[in-house]
Each structure stands twice: as structure tokens, then as C-alpha cells.
Amino acid sequence: MSLPELGRLEDLPQDYRDDLTAQNLVPLWPSLRAVLPPGKPTPRTRATAWNYQALRPLLLKAGELTPMEKAERRVLVLANPGHGLEKMQASSTIYLGMQLLLPGEWAPAHRHTPNAVRMIVEGEGAYTTVDGEKCLMQRGDLILTPTGLWHEHGHDGDQPVVWLDVLDLPMVYYMEASYVTEGKPQTISGDAAGLAYQRGGVAPAPMFERSQTAFPMLRYPWVDVRTALQTLARTQPEIEAVQVAYINPETGADAQKILGFSALMLRPGETLNMPARSTAMVFHVIEGGASVTADASHFALGEADTCCIPGYTAITLVNASTTEASFVFMADDAPLQKKLGVYEVRDGRNV
Ligand code: GTQ
């Protein structure tokens, strides 16, 4: 059923419009269909892909052009043209950036209200110290730097290190709640408190006391996540998607409160049809390759490539290799949407 056409702004006499403007008033009806489109939102987020091999030389060039003292965080932002590049958004809520740290460099301690995670893309020897805990950065590891926790990045290796930053910055900025506090170098208190959660089914409980920390696990090593995926694929071959969620091991809830993170294994030759969901999604290839099809967009992603797909869109992922599995890191804002009660899954899939 088509909705009746509503009156336009131009239908109103100019002097009436001027009187409204003078009192900071706006008529709703000319804009009603724009803010409440029928059936499905009109996303600004456009399906967009960023090729790692194409951006890598530009990131390394930034390492030559801009010293750390002039950058604080040396990042090229993966910006979605649908939002305008200057907005530095991948989607309405998700910020993505590729960060470069060169051997011997140090990105000073700070803490901020937006939550961040790092997905390590290449290089050895760098670490992020989060709340006093030294988290080694190895390829495929996920490291959380949640809201309010001090963090700084250092590098003892001899090759450039690159990682993908995923932040809920657009959301927190929109809320006018985004700010940073500069700090002094942290005293390292330990290097792996979260490893005590590594064996599924047990949690630290000294003298019967479970951790009260909001973020008990800060580093999710890729070797363990990869093993979990392979075990799932082997023991449950009928499962529709070989997928694990990054969770808070104390509560079982999503690892962070606004953005959600998961890892997916695409078995050799697998085609995975995902239903349309209300969340925009980010895909980043950790190993192998994946083609991503959503409406008219089609991206063939190779290792370290990243793409963003708007919400309310069915997505098909294909691993074209018939011999090798591929592994994909995914981010969305499902935790936020579920808390707010706007999360939806729609039935139709690409088939
Ligand atoms: O590494 O702390 O991509 O504060 C954007 C803001 C990274 C960081 C970003 C940040 C950081």
C-alpha cells in the first residue's frame, strides 16, 4: 500500500516559513517520510570495500611523512563515502582505522569514552598495555581497550606492525559523550591475566571470589579462536555457520556493550547465506579469501581486506577455495541494537 503524498515545504507561504524559522520551529510533514521511511530504513552507509594491498603503501608512507609525535595515533581511517569521508565513519556506529606502529615507536597512554578493539593484521613484536596488562599483538589476535581503560602501544620488533582499529566512536561522538584523557606511561602489572580464562568452563575464583572486573579478558589470541572454530567444524559438521562470538567469560555477554565481534570459518567451497539483519556489518579477512555479495554489491576479499555492508541487507559469503578454509572477523552493532530493542532479523536470504 503506497502512502499518501504529504505537503512540501514549498507549498507553505514564505512569510509563514520565515515566522517558523525565527522561532526555531520546523513543520514535520515535509520531512516525515524521510525520517520514517516505509518498511525499511534508508541507510547512508554504502557497501564499501578497502583493499589492504592498495592501502598498505599509503600507510607505510604515512610512517615516513608523519612522525609519531605529530600523530599520536598513526591511522588511516576506512571512511564510508555514504556518510562523507570527513565523518570518519564506516557505518552509523562503527569506526574503522588501519594503524601503523614502526619498530621502537610508542603511542602514548590515554583513555577515552569510546570503546576500541584491535585486530592485528601484520608484524611481530608490538604490544598494547591495557589497564596495566601487557597484551602481545600477534596476527589475528583481538585486543580490547574498553571505555575508560588506559592504553598505550609499544613495539620491540624490527618490522612495521599494522592493526585494524574498530571503535564505537561515531556512536559515542553522536551522543556528545566522546573525549580523551592523556596519561603517563603505565606500570605493567602483568602480561596475561585474561589467559586464566583460556580453558573453557573454568574461571578464576580465588577464595571463592569471582572477578568483579567489567572486562576480565582483554586479549583473545587467534590461535585459540582458530582452534575453537576448527573444533566446531569437526565435531558439528551439520552446523549452519562455523562461528564463535567474542564474549565476556564472566558473564557470557558480548565482550563489549555497543559493538559485537565474532569470527567465522568458511569451510572449503562453502556458501553461507546470511539473513538480512538490522545491523550494518563489517567483514575483515584473517586468512584465505571470501567473496561478499549484498544486493548489487560484490566484493572479492583477500587476506587483510575489509568491507562494510549496510543493515537490512541479506549477505552471501563464499569461500571459493575447494581445499582451504578461510577465516573472517566480523563486527556489528547488535549489542547496542538489542539493548535498545530495535534489533531485527528478516527471513529473506539470497539464494
Ligand atoms: O589506538 O588509542 O584508530 O584513540 C582512533 C583513536 C586508535 C588508539 C584509533 C584512538 C586509537
Side-chain angles (χ1 to χ4, degrees):
M1 199 186 74
S2 68
L3 294 166
E5 208 169 303
L6 301 177
R8 296 169 307 164
L9 200 56
E10 306 79 66
D11 300 338
L12 299 170
Q14 188 60 51
D15 59 340
Y16 176 71
R17 286 161 64 183
D18 293 343
D19 289 347
L20 291 178
T21 306
Q23 296 196 50
N24 295 323
L25 296 169
V26 174
L28 171 62
W29 56 97
S31 304
L32 184 63
R33 300 279 187 254
V35 291
L36 288 173
K40 180 177 177 291
T42 322
R44 265 187 295 273
T45 304
R46 264 189 239 157
T48 307
W50 296 269
N51 179 283
Y52 185 63
Q53 290 309 325
L55 74 79
R56 188 177 185 276
L58 297 173
L59 188 56
L60 292 175
K61 187 84 182 168
E64 294 168 24
L65 294 171
T66 307
M68 264 328 262
E69 309 80 70
K70 292 284 176 200
E72 213 161 283
R73 298 294 189 264
R74 193 192 289 111
V75 177
L76 292 181
V77 178
L78 280 49
N80 193 304
H83 288 271
L85 298 184
E86 73 289 350
K87 291 280 170 52
M88 301 198 298
Q89 296 181 222
S91 77
S92 60
T93 56
I94 304 175
Y95 159 104
L96 299 173
M98 281 286 178
Q99 181 160 174
L100 170 69
L101 200 62
L102 294 171
E105 284 184 338
W106 181 66
H110 70 190
R111 60 181 186 179
H112 39 68
T113 43
N115 298 271
V117 303
R118 337 264 158 210
M119 164 52 54
I120 316 312
V121 176
E122 70 164 280
E124 293 277 326
Y127 58 88
T128 292
T129 304
V130 189
D131 205 23
E133 186 175 330
K134 187 173 177 178
C135 299
L136 267 188
M137 296 175 127
Q138 284 173 325
R139 186 173 156 63
D141 291 353
L142 187 76
I143 296 170
L144 310 188
T145 56
T147 180
L149 297 195
W150 293 108
H151 55 281
E152 62 199 271
H153 315 299
H155 189 352
D156 297 333
D158 56 13
Q159 295 296 317
V161 166
V162 177
W163 63 83
L164 176 70
D165 289 318
V166 186
L167 280 79
D168 50 24
L169 178 62
M171 182 65 212
V172 179
Y173 183 78
Y174 181 76
M175 292 192 292
E176 299 188 341
S178 178
Y179 71 95
V180 71
T181 311
E182 303 301 327
K184 293 192 269 302
Q186 297 168 73
T187 309
I188 292 173
S189 55
D191 65 358
L195 286 180
Y197 290 94
Q198 225 63 42
R199 295 284 158 250
V202 292
M207 281 301 173
F208 315 103
E209 289 301 322
R210 297 281 294 278
S211 172
Q212 301 300 310
T213 324
F215 301 97
M217 191 163 165
L218 297 171
R219 174 171 179 243
Y220 297 73
W222 174 236
V223 282
D224 297 318
V225 178
R226 194 180 195 280
T227 301
L229 288 165
Q230 286 179 312
T231 306
L232 190 56
R234 191 181 71 245
T235 58
Q236 298 188 49
E238 302 308 319
I239 205 165
E240 185 174 15
V242 183
Q243 186 174 7
V244 293
Y246 292 88
I247 61 162
N248 176 325
E250 281 291 344
T251 63
D254 296 299
Q256 290 189 343
K257 292 183 178 158
I258 296 179
L259 301 185
F261 308 100
S262 59
L264 175 75
M265 173 177 164
L266 288 169
R267 293 159 282 197
E270 177 169 352
T271 295
L272 181 66
N273 289 303
M274 301 172 64
R277 301 187 312 144
S278 49
T279 63
M281 293 216 60
V282 168
F283 299 93
H284 171 82
V285 177
I286 300 176
E287 278 181 50
S291 78
V292 181
T293 304
D295 287 340
S297 303
H298 178 78
F299 305 122
L301 303 184
E303 245 162 53
D305 292 347
T306 306
C307 79
C308 176
I309 304 292
Y312 298 87
T313 312
I315 302 171
T316 299
L317 301 177
V318 178
N319 176 9
S321 169
T322 53
T323 54
E324 303 296 326
S326 54
F327 295 90
V328 182
F329 170 66
M330 298 190 285
D332 62 29
D333 56 9
L336 174 69
Q337 289 203 347
K338 287 176 181 172
K339 286 184 186 76
L340 300 182
V342 299
Y343 179 78
E344 271 184 65
V345 181
R346 298 199 172 176
D347 295 337
R349 300 188 187 200
N350 294 332
V351 269

